[in-house]
Amino acid sequence: MSDMSDMSDQTTATSRRWVALDFLRGVMLLMMMVDHAFFMGFTQWTAAKEWLYGFFGYVTAAEGFYFLSGLVCALVFYRGFLPGAVVPTARLWRRVGTIWFWHLVTVVAAYLCVILYATDRDATLVANPYLSRFLEHPLGVLVLAPIFLARPPFLDILPLYVHYLTAAPLLLRWFATGRAWLVWLVTGLLWGVGQFGAWNALFEALRKTWPDLPVDGGYFDPCSWLLPFVLGLTVGCHWQSRGLTAIRAYGAVLFPASVLACVFFWAHRHGLIAGVPPFSAPLIDIGRLGPIRVVNLLGAITVLGFLIAWFPRVFVWGPIAFLGRHSLHVFVYQVVLLFAAIPVWVWTQDLPPGDPRGLALLGATLLSLWIPAWLHHRMGHNRLASSVPRGRRFTN
């Protein structure tokens, strides 16, 4: 009986941890929607945007998403790459195909929206850097975006997941066979390449070769942004191979410094520390994931990890976890909404400061994120029900 109770306790703890990951994804989806809404419109609330963007200082929801992607990837697939195990490469490839499919959906939907509103190119809209590239070459983007040669804003996030999950079998094999050093050697070299802008230089050369094509390397450098994904892989692989004891031991040493670092970076970003000059742009560059952002990310991960361990019930609130459980579909909906509501974003830029209509619109936008989550949840239940033989569907 004691063995059964121990197993039950472990299952409960594991389930709680997984729900916490869903909860974090849900929070980051809400943060990302707010950030994108402020970028697209609500220009009269610049001060609010400055305080809401980068909640942990120089860390945004994007870093968290890539870290959690690597963490979950390792938790799900790591054991399959141990010697003698059945390699789950096919499952990983199916996941890559799924993400690519939804990237294609967002590209087509964005193209249709841009074409629909192309006859009403308000000066404010054309000046918006988050839309101008697509407006200049909509057909070119439609052709090149599915093969990742055009990555306009908001359509440059899912391609990185495709890249990293495609490389995941090799990285997990190295982790599983004791070659973590090789993973980090490659990751460190690529991050260094990213700091010198080699990725953008490549696409600048392509634009000179084909000036009539909307070739675009995207906002996020894939070389640099591999680092948060691999950091997640590292934690996940240690979790699977050694449990949480070793991770907590490392974290306990780093926790005090991590708290201080997060407080410092947050205060520094908002100019609250007198006498400390701003960091130089390369150190905090988000596109290349500058060194300060990496340090800040490590601190945020450590702090959040311990908060989840100490206050597990805080990080399992159902509605937020439900949103995070369907993060891919919610994100796709969010991107399509950003393009579909182009006239709305133009309208918000003309609102006076503090206009309650803008706040009500933002609230309705956030609440609407639960629509795709609910639809995907219902579709999943329907598929599950249809896969059960009719005579056994309601039996125990």
Side-chain angles (χ1 to χ4, degrees):
M1 290 295 292
S2 61
D3 291 341
M4 289 296 292
S5 63
D6 290 343
M7 185 177 296
S8 176
D9 291 341
Q10 291 173 6
T11 302
T12 302
T14 302
S15 300
R16 184 181 296 121
R17 287 194 295 267
W18 280 94
V19 174
L21 298 184
D22 289 332
F23 178 88
L24 291 177
R25 277 197 293 254
V27 170
M28 289 187 294
L29 282 167
L30 293 171
M31 291 173 59
M32 187 174 286
M33 184 73 254
V34 171
D35 291 341
H36 287 168
F38 276 124
F39 291 151
M40 294 288 285
F42 300 105
T43 54
Q44 75 280 14
W45 288 347
T46 303
K49 179 179 72 174
E50 288 302 314
W51 284 95
L52 291 173
Y53 184 69
F55 189 75
F56 270 90
Y58 296 98
V59 175
T60 66
E63 288 95 334
F65 269 118
Y66 288 114
F67 169 79
L68 286 180
S69 178
L71 174 62
V72 173
C73 180
L75 293 177
V76 173
F77 295 109
Y78 169 75
R79 294 186 185 277
F81 288 90
L82 293 171
V86 178
V87 180
T89 305
R91 290 174 58 198
L92 263 168
W93 279 110
R94 283 196 297 270
R95 185 61 178 169
V96 170
T98 298
I99 294 176
W100 179 86
F101 168 78
W102 286 109
H103 172 64
L104 180 62
V105 169
T106 59
V107 170
V108 173
Y111 169 79
L112 294 175
C113 292
V114 169
I115 292 299
L116 177 64
Y117 301 128
T119 57
D120 184 26
R121 296 189 179 187
D122 185 275
T124 305
L125 180 59
V126 175
N128 191 322
Y130 298 96
L131 294 173
S132 56
R133 298 176 194 172
F134 214 144
L135 287 168
E136 292 170 0
H137 303 282
L139 186 59
V141 172
L142 177 66
V143 173
L144 295 179
I147 57 175
F148 311 135
L149 289 179
R151 308 182 191 211
F154 308 128
L155 299 175
D156 57 350
I157 296 177
L158 291 182
L160 267 64
Y161 285 101
V162 173
H163 299 332
Y164 301 156
L165 288 177
T166 300
L170 177 61
L171 300 177
L172 287 171
R173 174 65 72 187
W174 286 346
F175 272 118
T177 53
R179 289 177 287 177
W181 63 270
L182 184 55
V183 176
W184 277 104
L185 176 62
V186 172
T187 302
L189 288 174
L190 288 175
W191 180 81
V193 168
Q195 301 311 297
F196 289 99
W199 176 260
N200 288 331
L202 171 63
F203 276 82
E204 288 175 6
L206 291 175
R207 279 194 292 272
K208 291 179 180 178
T209 305
W210 297 293
D212 296 328
L213 294 178
V215 177
D216 182 6
Y219 186 62
F220 299 98
D221 189 307
C223 300
S224 300
W225 278 77
L226 176 63
L227 193 149
F229 180 81
V230 170
L231 185 59
L233 283 180
T234 303
V235 175
C237 290
H238 275 274
W239 186 344
Q240 288 289 64
S241 61
R242 303 178 186 179
L244 287 173
T245 303
I247 297 175
R248 285 173 177 164
Y250 287 121
V253 175
L254 297 174
F255 181 75
S258 297
V259 172
L260 291 175
C262 288
V263 172
F264 170 78
F265 288 133
W266 181 84
H268 182 272
R269 183 180 180 277
H270 296 294
L272 301 178
I273 304 178
V276 179
F279 292 120
S280 62
L283 293 178
I284 57 174
D285 188 275
I286 185 172
R288 301 179 185 180
L289 199 66
I292 293 297
R293 288 185 174 272
V294 175
V295 176
N296 199 171
L297 175 61
L298 290 170
I301 290 170
T302 303
V303 171
L304 280 174
F306 271 87
L307 289 177
I308 292 172
W310 290 336
F311 309 103
R313 297 185 183 278
V314 175
F315 295 87
V316 295
W317 192 49
I320 304 296
F322 178 77
L323 195 66
R325 201 171 303 132
H326 306 278
S327 57
L328 174 60
H329 301 84
V330 174
F331 175 78
V332 169
Y333 164 82
Q334 179 188 140
V335 173
V336 174
L337 179 64
L338 289 171
F339 283 95
I342 286 174
V344 177
W345 308 128
V346 175
W347 172 73
T348 60
Q349 296 181 28
D350 295 327
L351 292 177
D355 193 303
R357 291 175 294 175
L359 184 61
L361 175 62
L362 183 60
T365 301
L366 292 173
L367 289 175
S368 73
L369 296 181
W370 273 269
I371 296 174
W374 180 81
L375 289 174
H376 184 248
H377 173 74
R378 295 303 304 168
M379 291 174 61
H381 271 282
N382 291 338
R383 286 196 300 268
L384 181 62
S386 63
S387 66
V388 178
R390 181 170 298 177
R392 300 178 58 189
R393 190 167 296 170
F394 301 103
T395 59
N396 293 327

